[in-house]
Amino acid sequence: MTTPTGLILGLDIGTSSTKGVLVDLGGHIVATATRAHEPSRPHPGQVEMDADVWWREFGEIARELTESASAAILAVGVSGMGPCVLLTDEEFHPLRPAILYGVDTRAGQQIERLNEKLGAEAILQRCGSMLSSQAAGPKLAWIAEHEPQVWERARHLFMPASWLAFNLTGAYVLDHQSASQTTPLYDTLALDWYAPWADQLRGSIELPTLKWPGDAAGTVTRAAAAETGLPEGIPVIVGTIDAWTEAVSVGAQHPGDLMLMYGTTLFLVNTSATRCLHPALWGTVGAFEGTYNFAAGMATSGAITAWLKNLFGDVDYPVLLAEAAASPPGANGLLMLPYFAGERTPINDPDARGVIVGLTLSHTRGDLYRAALEATAFGIRHNIEQMRAAGATIDRIVAVGGGTQGGLWTQIVSDVTGLVQEITTTSIGASFGAAFLAAGLVGATPLGGTPLGATSIEAWNPVSHRITPNALTTERYDALFASYLQLYPQTKALAHELAEVQRGS
């Protein structure tokens, strides 16, 4: 047998953009393309997106990349934000915009009712996670209660990656990792849908067939080939949620690894060979069979810096980063809570709100920008400490995402946590990880059975450098972190009152 030659298309549907990448079988990026988009927020706490955007942008990017390709496209990798809830009718037409992941906090009442009915501890033990805004199950219950005309017609459940896989291949599938975030529908002990609870929540929805993210969903159909410009008959992976393909993209899927994904929101994924449980974190199955994850997520991170940039007006990020770097650790006496869109882990409070303490007339925009970076770093440390308290092993941290560029943010995180971070050569993220998984379908990586000249993700994307904490700065941040932990309980009641006012207006 000879080693195949050609290109792999990887594509990821993110919160603020769709990114595509063409990669050769050695992991070299040949071309990239991006389409920006924004979710809609019809009411406070509600975040949605039209699934037609996902497929349209896939087609645009696929044509842009393949028309300039110098070799044949061999396979397609798909990835997307999640867990999301996209419902379609019997003919697979979307019935409403997709409800997004944990940033959508509408289903609080449904969470309370399901906990009372099924038992919060029973849910944790079987599903690996407590119910929270991250769980897809309560959002199904919300639609059933608030949109009965939609619910009566609902027959299928999709997430961004599975929606792309369906439109490309016609296969109605979902990966185990994504399914494990539909709590309480999925059993992380049996690795299957949990019928006693799923049947109570799914109505007339036929649950999709379960596969692993790197498995083949099918091959590109003639109709999909005509719409996208892709070759008919090439394989497409099932795909999974973007944070997990991000982890794959930087080789952070081994037991003891922790991936930090710096983006609009911030995500942490720790991998182990056994289940770990903690009521404040998300226990899921891994991207690969035989692995499990502790996952955590912050509702805002890069979103805060983008908000500040908009407030400051005509100023570029490099200028803000330079001004923040000139501000000393502690931002000249500022402390911020990064809960500008509520918070996911570890407090799981959709009514938490952002707080800035210590403002004076002498503070600059550089101080504010640094305080925002430090706030996300404190949130990361809070989650890491919760993971370790629950028995997680963290031997290695790998950072990925746009926020790794520039150096200041990652240095602050290492200084706050006291931990080394590895940065790989390629930080493009989930689309690159999806391409690596798809390369396994043609034997170019060890994921596709018998490898043909197979290479590992470490060969595709080696570590380029490490961020080492400054011991003196870490000592200063230790004291600030103690204050950070006090700030939320001291302002919680008032934040909840204001959140109620915001809902009313």
Side-chain angles (χ1 to χ4, degrees), residues 23-221:
V23 185
D24 69 20
L25 299 186
H28 304 103
I29 295 176
V30 175
T32 64
T34 302
R35 296 292 186 277
H37 55 233
E38 289 291 335
S40 62
R41 293 175 169 84
H43 300 285
Q46 297 185 6
V47 188
E48 304 179 345
M49 190 174 293
D50 192 334
D52 289 343
V53 172
W54 305 342
W55 181 237
R56 182 183 72 248
E57 292 183 348
F58 179 93
E60 291 175 357
I61 288 176
R63 283 195 176 277
E64 177 180 337
L65 293 179
T66 57
E67 285 176 358
S68 61
S70 59
I73 310 299
L74 302 180
V76 180
V78 291
S79 169
M81 57 188 164
C84 301
V85 173
L86 171 64
L87 299 182
T88 74
D89 62 16
E90 188 171 354
E91 301 300 321
F92 295 95
H93 299 133
L95 293 169
R96 67 176 321 285
I99 298 176
L100 301 197
Y101 52 99
V103 294
D104 185 292
T105 60
R106 73 182 71 196
Q109 292 182 350
Q110 288 70 32
I111 289 171
E112 291 180 8
R113 293 171 192 162
L114 286 169
N115 278 331
E116 182 177 348
K117 183 177 183 180
L118 306 178
E121 182 61 27
I123 293 172
L124 176 63
Q125 292 299 322
R126 183 167 296 280
C127 302
S129 303
M130 302 287 280
L131 290 177
S132 69
S133 65
Q134 185 75 356
K139 293 171 183 178
L140 293 175
W142 186 93
I143 296 173
E145 179 177 346
H146 290 274
E147 299 178 354
Q149 73 284 0
V150 170
W151 189 248
E152 289 175 3
R153 298 173 58 200
R155 296 294 182 271
H156 307 101
L157 169 66
F158 289 95
M159 296 190 192
S162 65
W163 182 241
L164 295 181
F166 169 76
N167 279 276
L168 287 166
T169 70
Y172 180 45
V173 295
L174 185 68
D175 68 286
H176 283 275
Q177 204 299 308
S178 298
S180 71
Q181 298 198 56
T182 64
T183 307
L185 278 67
Y186 182 90
D187 186 343
T188 58
L189 294 169
L191 302 180
D192 202 355
W193 299 114
Y194 185 58
W197 292 348
D199 288 348
Q200 295 182 47
L201 287 170
R202 66 184 179 91
S204 299
I205 294 172
E206 174 192 352
L207 294 175
T209 299
L210 295 171
K211 294 188 175 184
W212 293 96
D215 290 345
T219 59
V220 173
T221 64

Side-chain angles (χ1 to χ4, degrees), residues 374 377-379 381 411-419 469 473-474 477-478 481:
E374 291 176 345
F378 290 136
R381 177 169 171 175
Q411 185 63 58
I412 288 173
V413 169
S414 280
D415 289 343
V416 165
T417 61
L419 300 170
T473 308
T474 298
Y477 280 137
D478 284 343
F481 181 64

Side-chain angles (χ1 to χ4, degrees), residues 462-486:
V463 173
S464 65
H465 63 283
R466 291 171 173 82
I467 309 296
T468 303
N470 181 308
L472 292 177
T473 308
T474 298
E475 184 177 350
R476 166 66 176 143
Y477 280 137
D478 284 343
L480 283 173
F481 181 64
S483 299
Y484 173 88
L485 292 179
Q486 297 177 47

Side-chain angles (χ1 to χ4, degrees), residues 5-20:
T5 59
L7 302 172
I8 308 295
L9 172 66
L11 187 137
D12 174 66
I13 305 288
T15 307
S16 57
S17 66
T18 297
K19 297 178 181 178

Side-chain angles (χ1 to χ4, degrees), residues 291-377:
T291 63
Y292 297 85
N293 295 127
F294 247 162
M298 298 172 61
T300 55
S301 58
I304 301 176
T305 59
W307 172 75
L308 285 171
K309 180 179 182 296
N310 289 335
L311 287 183
F312 295 148
D314 187 20
V315 56
D316 293 329
Y317 282 115
V319 174
L320 292 172
L321 284 169
E323 292 178 359
S327 178
N332 283 314
L334 290 185
L335 185 62
M336 180 186 294
L337 282 181
Y339 305 154
F340 283 54
E343 187 54 297
R344 296 189 281 174
T345 62
I347 66 170
N348 294 301
D349 183 357
D351 285 344
R353 289 296 180 265
V355 176
I356 305 174
V357 176
L359 277 169
T360 70
L361 295 175
S362 64
H363 281 109
T364 67
R365 66 186 184 187
D367 294 329
L368 280 167
Y369 202 83
R370 185 179 188 100
L373 299 178
E374 291 176 345
T376 60

